[in-house]
């Protein structure tokens, strides 16, 4: 059975952050805890959100790590309860939004966070008691502002997914103006994250035509504008299209992702210093090559349709085009340049095989398949 479900109310325009208080009133949040990180605060973006909340008693947690952890969730949840908060506002990239989703669970549910992880059978344990969330993305990558999932590193160091329709933010405020100051490399890495979402969900075999259409259009927007946004951070048209592509990728990936994400989730748990979007960019070429022979890919000409969206002649051109794009954007030449060692392969593969994205790839990967993908990505 295919479940097709779109639920988030989205405010999408330059200057939309000014609607934050209006959305708090609509959702019913009168004492918000704002979840953000030190970089967003230092860039002055947090203050823009706070300025849009005059008169509200606001508490701020600004210690979200680049890969959010259970420890950070626990600290923020304690702050939530101590200040009698009634909802969450996430201001930041995917890390802050995912951290807020973890807090939404931890502040209202008992037990360790891993109890609610998807691969632990925890999704049905996440109930409507979760704290309401308003998401204000400041990067164009994860699209977590419209997604039902969060990726968090739990206390045993596994990087796990948490999925429930109760976790979907009640409102997403997508203001491309908040991304104008994003540094070039972060623009590139988060933009490639959005591209990976659009491509992987389009390749996933589940039946969801709306997701396919949304993802394919998102891919076209991101591919056409990522270089412009990276080269000139003040390019408003490029920023708008990249933010839309990010949102669209996450709207679509309710259909499922695949080996790119099973590998990047696992490796991100092995070494939390590595950026998720950059890892996705490194894995994409090898996974596209691996998926090319899948029956569902060939039957529906999915590589050819992606190639058309990217302005390429043939689906076989996609892996090299991604590698060329990575180079032009200034991203690493491969995993080795990021410090990954072949000695880590077994640990990475063990995590990938257990990841929730493993089984939604159009071809089921074996240990040997993952070894080959890792070697190609090095």
């Amino acid at each position: 059975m295919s479940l097709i479900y779109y639920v988030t109310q989205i405010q999408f325009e330059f200057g939309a952050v000014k609607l934050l208080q209006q959305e708090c009133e609509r959702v019913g949040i009168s004492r918000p805890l704002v979840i953000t990180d030190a970089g967003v605060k230092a860039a002055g973006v947090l203050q823009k959100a706070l300025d849009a909340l005059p008169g509200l008693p606001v508490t701020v947690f600004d210690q979200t790590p680049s890969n959010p952890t259970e420890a950070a969730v626990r600290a923020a949840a304690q702050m939530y309860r101590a200040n009698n908060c009634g909802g969450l506002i996430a201001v930041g990239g995917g890390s802050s939004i995912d951290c807020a989703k973890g807090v939404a669970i931890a502040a209202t549910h008992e037990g360790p966070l891993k109890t609610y992880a998807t691969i632990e059978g925890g999704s049905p344990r996440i109930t409507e008691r979760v704290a309401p969330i308003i998401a204000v993305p400041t990067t164009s990558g994860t699209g977590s502002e419209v997604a039902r999932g969060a990726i968090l590193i739990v206390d045993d160091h596994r990087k796990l997914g948490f999925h429930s329709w109760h976790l979907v933010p009640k409102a997403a405020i997508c203001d491309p103006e908040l991304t104008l100051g994003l540094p070039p490399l972060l623009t590139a890495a988060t933009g490639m994250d959005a591209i990976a979402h659009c491509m992987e969900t389009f390749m996933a075999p589940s039946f969801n035509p709306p997701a396919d259409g949304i993802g394919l259009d998102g891919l076209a927007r991101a591919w056409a504008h990522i270089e412009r946004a990276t080269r000139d951070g003040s390019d408003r048209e490029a920023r708008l299209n990249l933010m839309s592509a990010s949102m669209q990728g996450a709207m679509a990936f309710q259909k499922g992702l695949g080996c790119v994400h099973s590998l990047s989730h696992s490796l991100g748990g092995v070494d939390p210093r590595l950026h998720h979007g950059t890892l996705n960019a490194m894995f994409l070429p090898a996974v596209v090559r691996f998926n090319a022979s899948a029956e569902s890919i060939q039957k529906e000409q999915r590589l050819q349709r992606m190639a058309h969206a990217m302005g390429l002649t043939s689906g076989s051109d996609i892996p090299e085009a991604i590698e060329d794009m990575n180079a032009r954007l200034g991203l690493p030449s491969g995993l080795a340049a990021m410090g990954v060692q072949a000695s880590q392969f077994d640990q990475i593969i063990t995590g990938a095989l257990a990841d929730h994205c493993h089984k939604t790839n159009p071809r089921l990967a074996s240990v040997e398949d993952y070894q080959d993908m890792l070697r190609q990505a090095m």
Side-chain angles (χ1 to χ4, degrees):
M1 182 183 73
S2 293
L3 177 63
I4 301 171
Y5 195 36
Y6 293 92
V7 296
T8 309
Q9 179 161 309
I10 304 163
Q11 300 281 3
F12 197 118
E13 62 180 332
F14 283 92
V17 72
K18 295 176 182 177
L19 302 174
L20 187 51
Q21 185 156 349
Q22 170 189 309
E23 289 302 300
C24 282
E25 291 171 359
R26 183 183 66 82
V27 172
I29 299 175
S30 58
R31 297 182 66 88
L33 173 64
V34 175
I35 304 291
T36 190
D37 63 53
V40 171
K41 182 179 180 180
V45 177
L46 171 63
Q47 192 58 50
K48 291 181 180 180
L50 296 178
D51 289 345
L53 296 167
L56 283 187
V58 178
T59 305
V60 176
F61 176 82
D62 60 8
Q63 297 302 308
T64 303
S66 57
N67 281 289
T69 62
E70 185 170 357
V73 166
R74 193 160 44 241
Q78 289 171 352
M79 189 178 288
Y80 184 95
R81 289 188 291 264
N83 290 276
N84 196 30
C85 296
L88 297 149
I89 300 173
V91 181
S95 298
S96 293
I97 300 172
D98 282 6
C99 186
K101 292 177 181 178
V103 177
I105 299 170
T108 55
H109 293 64
E110 298 297 324
L113 203 55
K114 68 179 181 181
T115 306
Y116 304 96
T118 302
I119 66 169
E120 300 283 351
S123 293
R125 302 184 189 118
I126 302 172
T127 73
E128 70 280 354
R129 296 196 314 273
V130 297
I133 303 168
I134 295 174
V136 186
T138 62
T139 65
S140 298
T142 70
S144 189
E145 67 272 9
V146 295
R148 74 188 190 280
I151 305 297
L152 302 162
I153 298 175
V154 296
D155 285 342
D156 63 14
H157 306 297
R158 289 180 297 164
K159 192 171 188 178
L160 302 183
F162 297 76
H163 297 84
S164 169
W165 294 110
H166 297 303
L167 291 177
V168 178
K170 303 298 184 185
I173 296 180
C174 296
D175 184 347
E177 197 168 291
L178 301 181
T179 70
L180 294 177
L182 205 63
L185 277 180
L186 193 54
T187 299
T190 54
M192 286 305 299
D193 192 16
I195 285 170
H197 292 157
C198 292
M199 294 182 76
E200 271 220 294
T201 197
F202 186 73
M203 289 186 288
S206 298
F207 181 80
N208 191 326
D212 286 341
I214 292 167
L216 202 59
D217 181 82
L219 172 60
R221 291 177 186 276
W223 192 260
H225 293 92
I226 187 171
E227 279 188 275
R228 283 174 52 182
T230 301
R231 184 173 61 249
D232 178 6
S234 63
D235 185 327
R236 292 170 69 87
E237 182 184 15
R239 290 295 190 184
L240 178 127
N241 279 279
L242 210 53
M243 178 163 272
S244 182
S246 175
M247 176 192 70
Q248 289 175 247
M251 290 177 73
F253 70 45
Q254 61 172 263
K255 182 187 170 202
L257 292 167
C259 290
V260 170
H261 279 77
S262 56
L263 284 165
S264 61
H265 289 158
S266 179
L267 181 48
V270 171
D271 187 348
R273 298 171 300 176
L274 301 177
H275 186 271
H276 173 72
T278 306
L279 290 177
N280 284 347
M282 300 299 102
F283 287 127
L284 253 178
V287 174
V288 171
R289 291 186 185 104
F290 174 71
N291 286 346
S293 61
E295 182 181 352
S296 62
I297 295 287
Q298 295 182 341
K299 181 180 178 181
E300 300 190 24
Q301 298 185 312
R302 291 194 176 269
L303 293 194
Q304 188 60 40
R305 291 160 70 187
M306 288 196 300
H308 178 75
M310 299 163 73
L312 304 174
T313 303
S314 167
S316 61
D317 297 332
I318 292 174
E320 186 176 350
I322 295 168
E323 291 166 348
D324 290 345
M325 178 67 81
N326 288 341
R328 293 200 302 275
L329 295 174
L331 293 173
S333 57
L335 296 178
M338 299 174 69
V340 178
Q341 305 288 327
S343 59
Q344 297 172 302
F345 281 9
D346 288 348
Q347 188 179 1
I348 298 165
I349 293 167
T350 297
L353 289 167
D355 190 78
H356 63 276
C357 294
H358 168 67
K359 291 184 178 179
T360 53
N361 199 68
R363 285 182 66 192
L364 197 60
S366 66
V367 170
E368 292 74 24
D369 293 326
Y370 275 129
Q371 287 173 339
D372 185 54
M373 290 181 229
L374 283 163
R375 282 193 291 267
Q376 288 186 53
M378 287 292 281

